[in-house]
Amino acid sequence: GESVGLHLPTLSVQEGDNSIINCAYSNSASDYFIWYKQESGKGPQFIIDIRSNMDKRQGQRVTVLLNKTVKHLSLQIAATQPGDSAVYFCAETSYGNKLVFGAGTILRVKS
Amino acid sequence: ETGVTQTPRHLVMGMTNKKSLKCEQHLGHNAMYWYKQSAKKPLELMFVYNFKEQTENNSVPSRFSPECPNSSHLFLHLHTLQPEDSALYLCASSQEQGWRGGYTFGSGTRLTVV
């Protein structure tokens, strides 16, 4: 069945370093992907999205990379800050269908 | 504030109680969702409403009963819950079901069943 999974449940990085959070998906029909950030006590917040006709998209300090060949998605955070500490989820969908969320990766930023 | 408001933020209820969770959005969205979030598990979709019509019930036990009186409000009525129902219940909305802009989530209701 469809599934979206994360390789690493917890990632610890030093403040100022770059972070890379990975996600694998299994539905080859998926054509739209989103990264969400969930801080403690809050609901998931949209960070960045990418459509399958792209392989890279940049936002403010964040970059999402999509490799459709191996069905892999990653979120890169530049110059990681303490405020980036949160759980990060990837989600995928194909046209007209519901979002399928991964289990999440905890990002801990060490000062 | 994301534009999706959930109340209460925290709820403790006994297994014989009846309570309701409320979700409200004024984003002009037409689809609303209930999710259950348990520790170390992916978000579990429970119900979907699109233009006030329920379009999805993800095999949710009947002790959870949703209600969507209009596109801006969504309720989750709870009765005779079990301790394993303790979780964070998240409401989300989107322009419509299947919309490519992603979902906007509320902050959730932390439910504890004792």
Side-chain angles (χ1 to χ4, degrees):
Chain A
E2 300 174 9
S3 68
V4 178
L6 296 173
H7 296 305
L8 299 174
T10 304
L11 177 65
S12 293
V13 298
Q14 196 66 38
E15 181 179 358
D17 288 352
N18 296 334
S19 303
I20 300 176
I21 301 171
N22 297 301
C23 178
Y25 64 95
S26 59
N27 184 3
S28 56
S30 294
D31 60 359
Y32 179 62
F33 304 87
I34 305 174
W35 280 101
Y36 283 91
K37 172 186 180 183
Q38 186 174 20
E39 297 174 89
S40 180
K42 296 183 180 180
Q45 273 186 288
F46 177 98
I47 303 173
I48 191 168
D49 60 359
I50 189 168
R51 296 180 189 272
S52 59
N53 60 351
M54 303 172 71
D55 52 22
K56 180 179 180 179
R57 189 160 189 229
Q58 288 185 290
Q60 191 174 22
R61 278 202 309 118
V62 295
T63 300
V64 55
L65 298 178
L66 175 62
N67 186 330
K68 295 181 289 293
T69 303
V70 295
K71 296 201 276 294
H72 186 266
L73 192 68
S74 69
L75 178 70
Q76 300 179 0
I77 303 173
T80 312
Q81 301 168 1
D84 295 326
S85 294
V87 179
Y88 289 82
F89 297 91
C90 63
E92 56 90 13
T93 186
S94 53
Y95 183 77
N97 292 313
K98 60 183 181 283
L99 281 177
V100 175
F101 289 88
T105 292
I106 300 170
L107 177 64
R108 292 202 177 104
V109 182
K110 298 176 285 188
S111 299
Chain B
E1 286 296 327
T2 64
V4 178
T5 303
Q6 289 188 244
T7 53
R9 290 296 307 273
H10 301 273
L11 178 62
V12 179
M13 60 185 289
M15 288 190 282
T16 59
N17 291 160
K18 288 185 181 181
K19 296 286 185 183
S20 296
L21 310 184
K22 180 181 177 182
C23 177
E24 187 173 354
Q25 58 89 9
H26 296 289
L27 300 170
H29 290 172
N30 296 299
M32 297 187 78
Y33 311 81
W34 278 117
Y35 280 87
K36 176 183 179 182
Q37 187 175 38
S38 305
K40 298 181 181 179
K41 285 187 178 180
L43 286 166
E44 298 174 58
L45 179 64
M46 300 174 72
F47 301 103
V48 181
Y49 279 82
N50 197 41
F51 293 93
K52 300 189 296 178
E53 298 297 319
Q54 187 180 126
T55 56
E56 193 151 343
N57 175 339
N58 210 23
S59 302
V60 181
S62 60
R63 57 186 184 269
F64 296 91
S65 174
E67 179 189 2
C68 187
N70 54 61
S71 292
S72 299
H73 294 85
L74 185 65
F75 296 89
L76 188 63
H77 304 300
L78 316 171
H79 65 98
T80 58
L81 294 192
Q82 305 298 311
E84 60 265 27
D85 297 322
S86 298
L88 181 68
Y89 288 84
L90 289 162
C91 173
S93 69
S94 67
Q95 190 64 38
E96 58 185 75
Q97 190 172 356
W99 185 255
R100 294 314 189 89
Y103 301 171
T104 302
F105 283 87
S107 295
T109 295
R110 174 68 62 185
L111 174 67
T112 304
V113 181
V114 297

Coordinates of all heavy atoms in Angstrom, one line a residue, chain A residues 27-93:
Chain A
N27 N 4.8 5.3 -3.2 CA 3.8 5.5 -4.3 C 4.4 6.2 -5.5 O 4.6 7.4 -5.4 CB 2.6 6.2 -3.7 CG 1.4 6.2 -4.7 OD1 1.6 5.7 -5.8 ND2 0.4 6.9 -4.4
S28 N 4.7 5.5 -6.5 CA 5.3 6.2 -7.7 C 4.3 7.1 -8.4 O 4.7 8.0 -9.2 CB 5.8 5.1 -8.7 OG 4.7 4.3 -9.0
A29 N 3.1 7.1 -8.0 CA 2.1 8.0 -8.6 C 2.0 9.3 -7.9 O 1.4 10.3 -8.4 CB 0.7 7.4 -8.6
S30 N 2.7 9.4 -6.7 CA 2.7 10.7 -6.0 C 3.4 11.8 -6.8 O 4.4 11.6 -7.4 CB 3.4 10.5 -4.6 OG 2.7 9.6 -3.8
D31 N 2.7 12.9 -6.8 CA 3.3 14.0 -7.6 C 3.3 15.3 -6.9 O 3.6 16.4 -7.5 CB 2.5 14.1 -8.9 CG 1.0 14.4 -8.7 OD1 0.6 14.5 -7.5 OD2 0.3 14.5 -9.7
Y32 N 3.0 15.3 -5.6 CA 3.1 16.5 -4.8 C 3.5 16.2 -3.4 O 3.0 15.3 -2.8 CB 1.7 17.2 -4.8 CG 1.6 18.5 -4.1 CD1 2.4 19.6 -4.4 CD2 0.8 18.6 -3.0 CE1 2.3 20.8 -3.7 CE2 0.7 19.8 -2.2 CZ 1.5 20.9 -2.6 OH 1.4 22.1 -1.9
F33 N 4.5 16.9 -2.9 CA 5.1 16.6 -1.7 C 5.3 17.9 -0.8 O 5.5 19.0 -1.3 CB 6.5 16.0 -1.9 CG 6.5 14.9 -2.8 CD1 6.6 15.0 -4.2 CD2 6.5 13.6 -2.3 CE1 6.6 13.9 -5.0 CE2 6.4 12.5 -3.2 CZ 6.5 12.7 -4.5
I34 N 5.1 17.7 0.5 CA 5.1 18.8 1.4 C 6.0 18.4 2.6 O 6.0 17.3 3.1 CB 3.7 19.2 1.9 CG1 2.8 19.4 0.7 CG2 3.8 20.4 2.8 CD1 1.3 19.7 1.2
W35 N 6.7 19.4 3.1 CA 7.4 19.3 4.4 C 6.6 20.1 5.4 O 6.3 21.3 5.2 CB 8.8 19.7 4.3 CG 9.7 18.6 3.8 CD1 10.2 18.6 2.5 CD2 10.3 17.5 4.5 NE1 11.0 17.5 2.4 CE2 11.1 16.8 3.5 CE3 10.1 17.0 5.8 CZ2 11.7 15.6 3.9 CZ3 10.8 15.8 6.1 CH2 11.6 15.2 5.1
Y36 N 6.4 19.5 6.6 CA 5.8 20.2 7.7 C 6.7 20.2 8.9 O 7.5 19.3 9.1 CB 4.5 19.5 8.2 CG 3.3 19.8 7.3 CD1 3.0 18.9 6.2 CD2 2.4 20.8 7.5 CE1 1.9 19.1 5.4 CE2 1.3 21.0 6.7 CZ 1.1 20.2 5.6 OH 0.0 20.4 4.8
K37 N 6.6 21.3 9.7 CA 7.3 21.4 11.0 C 6.3 21.4 12.1 O 5.4 22.2 12.0 CB 8.2 22.7 10.9 CG 8.8 23.0 12.3 CD 9.5 24.4 12.2 CE 10.2 24.8 13.5 NZ 10.8 26.2 13.4
Q38 N 6.6 20.6 13.1 CA 5.7 20.6 14.3 C 6.5 20.9 15.6 O 7.3 20.1 16.0 CB 4.9 19.3 14.4 CG 3.9 19.4 15.6 CD 3.0 18.1 15.6 OE1 3.4 17.1 15.1 NE2 1.8 18.2 16.2
E39 N 6.3 22.1 16.1 CA 6.9 22.5 17.4 C 6.1 21.9 18.5 O 4.9 21.7 18.4 CB 7.1 24.0 17.5 CG 8.0 24.5 16.4 CD 8.1 26.0 16.4 OE1 8.9 26.6 17.1 OE2 7.2 26.7 15.7
S40 N 6.7 21.8 19.7 CA 6.0 21.3 20.9 C 4.8 22.1 21.2 O 4.8 23.4 21.2 CB 7.0 21.3 22.0 OG 6.4 20.8 23.2
G41 N 3.7 21.5 21.4 CA 2.4 22.1 21.7 C 1.7 22.8 20.6 O 0.7 23.5 20.8
K42 N 2.2 22.6 19.4 CA 1.5 23.2 18.2 C 1.2 22.1 17.2 O 1.7 21.0 17.2 CB 2.5 24.2 17.5 CG 2.8 25.4 18.4 CD 3.6 26.4 17.7 CE 3.9 27.6 18.6 NZ 4.8 28.6 17.9
G43 N 0.3 22.5 16.2 CA 0.1 21.6 15.1 C 1.1 21.7 14.0 O 1.9 22.7 14.1
P44 N 1.2 20.8 13.1 CA 2.1 20.9 12.0 C 1.9 22.2 11.2 O 0.8 22.6 10.9 CB 1.8 19.7 11.1 CG 1.1 18.7 12.0 CD 0.3 19.6 13.0
Q45 N 3.1 22.8 10.8 CA 3.1 24.0 10.0 C 3.7 23.7 8.7 O 4.8 23.1 8.6 CB 3.9 25.1 10.7 CG 3.1 25.9 11.7 CD 4.0 27.0 12.2 OE1 5.0 26.8 13.0 NE2 3.8 28.3 11.8
F46 N 3.1 24.2 7.6 CA 3.7 24.1 6.2 C 5.0 24.8 6.2 O 5.2 25.9 6.6 CB 2.7 24.7 5.3 CG 3.1 24.8 3.8 CD1 2.7 23.8 3.0 CD2 3.9 25.8 3.4 CE1 3.1 23.8 1.6 CE2 4.3 25.8 2.0 CZ 3.9 24.8 1.2
I47 N 6.0 24.1 5.6 CA 7.3 24.7 5.4 C 7.6 25.0 3.9 O 7.8 26.1 3.5 CB 8.5 23.8 5.9 CG1 8.3 23.4 7.3 CG2 9.8 24.5 5.6 CD1 9.4 22.4 7.8
I48 N 7.5 24.0 3.1 CA 7.8 24.1 1.7 C 7.2 22.9 1.0 O 7.0 21.8 1.5 CB 9.3 24.2 1.5 CG1 9.7 24.6 0.1 CG2 10.0 22.8 1.9 CD1 11.1 24.9 -0.1
D49 N 6.9 23.1 -0.3 CA 6.3 22.0 -1.1 C 7.1 21.9 -2.4 O 7.9 22.8 -2.8 CB 4.8 22.2 -1.4 CG 4.5 23.5 -2.1 OD1 5.4 24.3 -2.4 OD2 3.3 23.7 -2.4
I50 N 6.8 20.8 -3.1 CA 7.5 20.6 -4.4 C 6.6 19.7 -5.2 O 6.0 18.7 -4.7 CB 8.9 20.0 -4.2 CG1 9.6 20.0 -5.6 CG2 8.9 18.6 -3.6 CD1 11.1 19.8 -5.5
R51 N 6.5 20.0 -6.5 CA 5.7 19.2 -7.4 C 6.7 18.2 -8.1 O 7.9 18.5 -8.2 CB 5.0 20.0 -8.4 CG 3.9 20.9 -7.7 CD 3.1 21.8 -8.7 NE 2.3 22.7 -7.9 CZ 1.1 22.5 -7.5 NH1 0.5 21.3 -7.8 NH2 0.4 23.4 -6.9
S52 N 6.2 17.2 -8.7 CA 7.0 16.2 -9.3 C 7.7 16.6 -10.6 O 8.6 15.9 -11.0 CB 6.3 14.9 -9.5 OG 5.2 15.1 -10.4
N53 N 7.3 17.7 -11.1 CA 8.0 18.2 -12.3 C 9.3 19.0 -12.0 O 9.9 19.6 -12.9 CB 7.1 19.0 -13.2 CG 6.5 20.2 -12.5 OD1 6.7 20.4 -11.3 ND2 5.9 21.1 -13.3
M54 N 9.6 19.1 -10.7 CA 10.8 19.8 -10.2 C 11.6 18.8 -9.5 O 11.1 17.8 -8.9 CB 10.4 20.9 -9.3 CG 9.4 21.9 -10.0 SD 8.9 23.1 -8.7 CE 10.4 24.1 -8.5
D55 N 12.9 19.1 -9.4 CA 13.8 18.2 -8.5 C 14.4 19.1 -7.4 O 15.0 18.5 -6.5 CB 14.9 17.5 -9.3 CG 15.7 18.5 -10.2 OD1 15.7 19.7 -9.9 OD2 16.3 18.0 -11.1
K56 N 14.2 20.4 -7.4 CA 14.7 21.2 -6.3 C 13.8 22.4 -6.2 O 13.4 23.0 -7.1 CB 16.1 21.6 -6.6 CG 16.8 22.5 -5.6 CD 18.3 22.8 -6.0 CE 19.0 23.6 -5.0 NZ 20.4 23.9 -5.5
R57 N 13.7 22.8 -4.9 CA 12.9 24.1 -4.7 C 13.5 24.7 -3.4 O 13.8 24.0 -2.4 CB 11.5 23.8 -4.5 CG 10.6 25.1 -4.4 CD 9.2 24.9 -4.7 NE 8.5 26.2 -4.9 CZ 7.4 26.5 -4.3 NH1 6.8 25.6 -3.5 NH2 6.9 27.7 -4.5
Q58 N 13.8 26.0 -3.5 CA 14.4 26.7 -2.3 C 13.4 27.7 -1.7 O 12.7 28.4 -2.4 CB 15.6 27.4 -2.8 CG 16.8 26.5 -3.1 CD 18.1 27.2 -3.5 OE1 18.1 27.8 -4.5 NE2 19.0 27.1 -2.6
G59 N 13.5 27.7 -0.4 CA 12.8 28.7 0.4 C 13.8 29.5 1.2 O 15.0 29.6 0.9
Q60 N 13.3 30.1 2.2 CA 14.2 30.9 3.1 C 14.9 29.9 4.0 O 14.3 29.3 4.9 CB 13.4 31.9 3.9 CG 14.2 32.9 4.7 CD 13.4 34.0 5.3 OE1 12.2 33.8 5.6 NE2 14.0 35.1 5.6
R61 N 16.2 29.7 3.8 CA 17.1 28.8 4.6 C 16.7 27.3 4.4 O 17.3 26.4 5.0 CB 17.0 29.1 6.1 CG 17.9 30.2 6.5 CD 18.3 30.1 8.0 NE 17.1 30.0 8.9 CZ 16.9 28.9 9.7 NH1 17.7 27.9 9.7 NH2 15.8 28.9 10.4
V62 N 15.7 27.0 3.7 CA 15.3 25.6 3.4 C 15.3 25.3 1.9 O 15.0 26.1 1.1 CB 13.9 25.3 4.0 CG1 13.9 25.4 5.5 CG2 12.8 26.1 3.4
T63 N 15.7 24.0 1.7 CA 15.7 23.5 0.3 C 15.1 22.1 0.3 O 15.5 21.3 1.2 CB 17.1 23.5 -0.3 OG1 17.7 24.8 -0.3 CG2 17.1 22.9 -1.7
V64 N 14.2 21.9 -0.6 CA 13.7 20.5 -0.7 C 14.2 19.9 -2.0 O 14.2 20.6 -3.1 CB 12.1 20.5 -0.7 CG1 11.5 21.4 -1.7 CG2 11.6 19.1 -0.8
L65 N 14.7 18.7 -1.9 CA 15.2 18.0 -3.1 C 14.3 16.7 -3.3 O 14.0 16.0 -2.4 CB 16.7 17.5 -2.9 CG 17.7 18.6 -2.7 CD1 19.1 18.1 -2.4 CD2 17.7 19.6 -3.9
L66 N 14.0 16.5 -4.6 CA 13.2 15.4 -4.9 C 13.9 14.5 -5.9 O 14.3 15.0 -7.0 CB 11.8 15.8 -5.5 CG 10.9 14.8 -6.0 CD1 10.5 13.8 -4.9 CD2 9.7 15.4 -6.7
N67 N 14.0 13.2 -5.6 CA 14.6 12.3 -6.5 C 13.6 11.2 -6.8 O 13.4 10.3 -6.1 CB 15.9 11.6 -5.9 CG 16.6 10.7 -6.9 OD1 16.0 10.1 -7.8 ND2 17.9 10.6 -6.7
K68 N 12.9 11.4 -8.0 CA 11.8 10.5 -8.3 C 12.3 9.1 -8.7 O 11.6 8.1 -8.6 CB 11.0 11.1 -9.5 CG 10.3 12.4 -9.1 CD 9.5 12.9 -10.2 CE 10.3 13.5 -11.3 NZ 11.1 14.7 -10.9
T69 N 13.5 9.0 -9.1 CA 14.1 7.7 -9.6 C 14.1 6.7 -8.4 O 13.8 5.6 -8.5 CB 15.5 7.9 -10.1 OG1 15.4 8.8 -11.2 CG2 16.1 6.6 -10.6
V70 N 14.6 7.2 -7.2 CA 14.7 6.4 -6.1 C 13.6 6.7 -5.0 O 13.6 6.2 -3.9 CB 16.0 6.5 -5.4 CG1 17.1 6.0 -6.3 CG2 16.4 7.9 -5.0
K71 N 12.6 7.5 -5.4 CA 11.5 7.9 -4.6 C 12.0 8.4 -3.2 O 11.7 7.9 -2.2 CB 10.5 6.7 -4.4 CG 9.9 6.3 -5.7 CD 8.6 5.6 -5.6 CE 8.8 4.1 -5.3 NZ 9.4 3.4 -6.5
H72 N 12.8 9.5 -3.3 CA 13.4 10.0 -2.1 C 13.2 11.5 -2.1 O 13.4 12.2 -3.1 CB 14.9 9.7 -2.1 CG 15.6 10.1 -0.8 ND1 16.3 11.3 -0.7 CD2 15.7 9.4 0.4 CE1 16.8 11.4 0.5 NE2 16.5 10.3 1.2
L73 N 13.0 12.0 -0.9 CA 12.7 13.4 -0.7 C 13.6 13.9 0.5 O 13.8 13.1 1.5 CB 11.3 13.6 -0.3 CG 10.6 15.0 -0.2 CD1 10.5 15.6 -1.6 CD2 9.2 14.8 0.5
S74 N 14.2 15.1 0.4 CA 15.0 15.5 1.6 C 14.7 17.0 1.8 O 14.3 17.8 0.9 CB 16.5 15.3 1.3 OG 17.0 16.2 0.3
L75 N 14.9 17.4 3.1 CA 14.8 18.8 3.5 C 16.1 19.2 4.0 O 16.6 18.6 4.9 CB 13.7 18.9 4.6 CG 13.5 20.3 5.1 CD1 12.9 21.2 4.1 CD2 12.6 20.3 6.4
Q76 N 16.6 20.3 3.4 CA 17.9 20.8 3.9 C 17.6 22.1 4.6 O 16.9 23.0 4.0 CB 18.9 21.0 2.8 CG 19.2 19.7 2.1 CD 20.2 19.9 0.9 OE1 20.6 21.0 0.6 NE2 20.5 18.8 0.2
I77 N 18.2 22.3 5.8 CA 18.0 23.5 6.6 C 19.4 24.1 6.7 O 20.3 23.5 7.3 CB 17.4 23.3 7.9 CG1 16.0 22.6 7.8 CG2 17.2 24.6 8.7 CD1 15.4 22.2 9.1
A78 N 19.6 25.3 6.2 CA 20.9 25.9 6.3 C 21.1 26.7 7.6 O 20.1 27.3 8.1 CB 21.1 26.9 5.1
A79 N 22.3 26.7 8.2 CA 22.6 27.4 9.4 C 21.5 27.2 10.4 O 20.9 28.1 10.9 CB 22.7 28.9 9.1
T80 N 21.4 25.9 10.8 CA 20.4 25.5 11.8 C 20.4 26.3 13.1 O 21.5 26.5 13.6 CB 20.5 24.0 12.1 OG1 20.6 23.3 10.9 CG2 19.2 23.5 12.8
Q81 N 19.2 26.7 13.5 CA 19.1 27.6 14.7 C 18.3 26.8 15.8 O 17.5 25.9 15.5 CB 18.4 28.9 14.3 CG 19.0 29.7 13.3 CD 18.2 30.8 12.7 OE1 17.0 31.0 13.2 NE2 18.7 31.5 11.8
P82 N 18.4 27.2 17.0 CA 17.6 26.6 18.1 C 16.2 26.5 17.8 O 15.5 25.6 18.1 CB 18.0 27.4 19.3 CG 19.3 27.9 19.1 CD 19.4 28.2 17.6
G83 N 15.6 27.6 17.1 CA 14.2 27.6 16.8 C 13.8 26.6 15.8 O 12.6 26.4 15.5
D84 N 14.8 25.9 15.2 CA 14.5 24.9 14.2 C 14.2 23.6 14.9 O 13.7 22.6 14.2 CB 15.6 24.7 13.2 CG 15.8 26.0 12.3 OD1 14.8 26.6 12.0 OD2 17.0 26.2 12.0
S85 N 14.4 23.5 16.2 CA 14.2 22.2 16.9 C 12.7 21.9 16.8 O 11.8 22.8 17.3 CB 14.6 22.4 18.4 OG 16.0 22.5 18.4
A86 N 12.3 20.8 16.3 CA 10.9 20.4 16.1 C 10.9 19.0 15.5 O 11.9 18.4 15.3 CB 10.3 21.4 15.2
V87 N 9.7 18.5 15.3 CA 9.5 17.3 14.5 C 9.2 17.7 13.1 O 8.3 18.6 12.9 CB 8.4 16.4 15.1 CG1 8.2 15.2 14.3 CG2 8.7 16.1 16.6
Y88 N 9.8 17.1 12.1 CA 9.6 17.4 10.7 C 8.9 16.2 10.1 O 9.4 15.0 10.2 CB 10.9 17.7 10.1 CG 11.5 19.0 10.5 CD1 12.1 19.2 11.7 CD2 11.2 20.2 9.8 CE1 12.6 20.4 12.2 CE2 11.7 21.4 10.2 CZ 12.4 21.5 11.4 OH 12.8 22.7 11.8
F89 N 7.9 16.5 9.3 CA 7.1 15.4 8.6 C 7.2 15.7 7.1 O 7.0 16.8 6.7 CB 5.6 15.5 9.0 CG 5.3 15.2 10.4 CD1 5.3 16.2 11.3 CD2 5.1 13.9 10.8 CE1 5.0 15.9 12.7 CE2 4.8 13.6 12.2 CZ 4.7 14.6 13.1
C90 N 7.3 14.6 6.3 CA 7.1 14.7 4.9 C 5.7 14.2 4.7 O 5.2 13.4 5.4 CB 8.1 14.0 4.1 SG 8.2 12.2 4.3
A91 N 5.1 14.7 3.6 CA 3.7 14.2 3.2 C 3.7 14.1 1.7 O 4.3 14.9 1.0 CB 2.6 15.1 3.8
E92 N 2.9 13.2 1.2 CA 2.8 13.1 -0.3 C 1.4 12.8 -0.7 O 0.6 12.3 0.1 CB 3.8 11.9 -0.8 CG 3.5 10.6 -0.1 CD 2.5 9.7 -0.9 OE1 2.2 10.1 -2.0 OE2 2.1 8.7 -0.3
T93 N 1.1 13.1 -1.9 CA -0.2 12.9 -2.5 C -0.1 12.8 -4.0 O 0.8 13.2 -4.6 CB -1.2 14.0 -2.1 OG1 -2.5 13.6 -2.5 CG2 -0.8 15.3 -2.7

